[in-house]
Amino acid sequence: MGDLLAWLRSPPTKLVVIDDPTVLDALETRMKARFDGRMYISKSLPYFLEFASPDVTKGSGLDFLAQHVGFTSERTVAFGDGENDIELLEWAGYGVAVANAHERVKSIADFICPRVDEEGVAQVLEAYLSR
């Protein structure tokens, strides 16, 4: 491919490495040790390892949106399944993980809903709206 930066028209905001989950687990460990908080490193799916600015997460994006639109974390419900959703659930006043979420996501969630293939998010929203 050559020089990646020469190929890009503007500076990158995220790099995603796609590989076997075992390979990515080892790479994630090495990169987190090397960059130690200077870079956001997280898996979004078992075979996607993401690299970005440490200031750019789903949680920081939601915080930015909340400041500009006018809602609070206390009145926010967030749903997640991948490791890249951890900051999102931490920011929200109430975090929901789907049953097939990554174990770290489930460990911080306030509630675990049915799996994605059972439309767990839709079930939660429908139950809330029918109250």
Side-chain angles (χ1 to χ4, degrees), residues 5-116:
L5 293 177
W7 179 70
L8 298 172
R9 294 175 205 250
S10 59
T13 56
K14 181 189 285 190
L15 172 69
V16 179
V17 179
I18 303 169
D19 206 333
D20 180 82
T22 306
V23 172
L24 293 181
D25 288 343
L27 178 61
E28 179 179 19
T29 300
R30 288 194 321 270
M31 293 296 100
K32 282 184 174 179
R34 180 173 182 164
F35 291 101
D36 191 27
R38 295 180 294 141
M39 183 176 286
Y40 175 76
I41 302 170
S42 180
K43 284 178 127 179
S44 54
L45 292 171
Y47 43 87
F48 286 174
L49 182 62
E50 301 180 357
F51 296 84
S53 164
D55 300 325
V56 180
T57 67
K58 290 183 180 182
S60 66
L62 193 55
D63 185 58
F64 175 86
L65 185 62
Q67 291 176 32
H68 287 80
V69 175
F71 60 91
T72 65
S73 63
E74 296 80 20
R75 297 193 41 87
T76 302
V77 177
F79 295 83
D81 63 348
E83 285 182 286
N84 64 334
D85 294 320
I86 289 173
E87 293 82 3
L88 177 71
L89 269 63
E90 289 175 337
W91 186 89
Y94 195 79
V96 180
V98 293
N100 58 315
H102 187 278
E103 289 303 318
R104 285 183 57 210
V105 177
K106 291 193 291 189
S107 74
I108 65 160
D110 298 298
F111 181 73
I112 299 175
C113 70
R115 301 171 49 88
V116 169

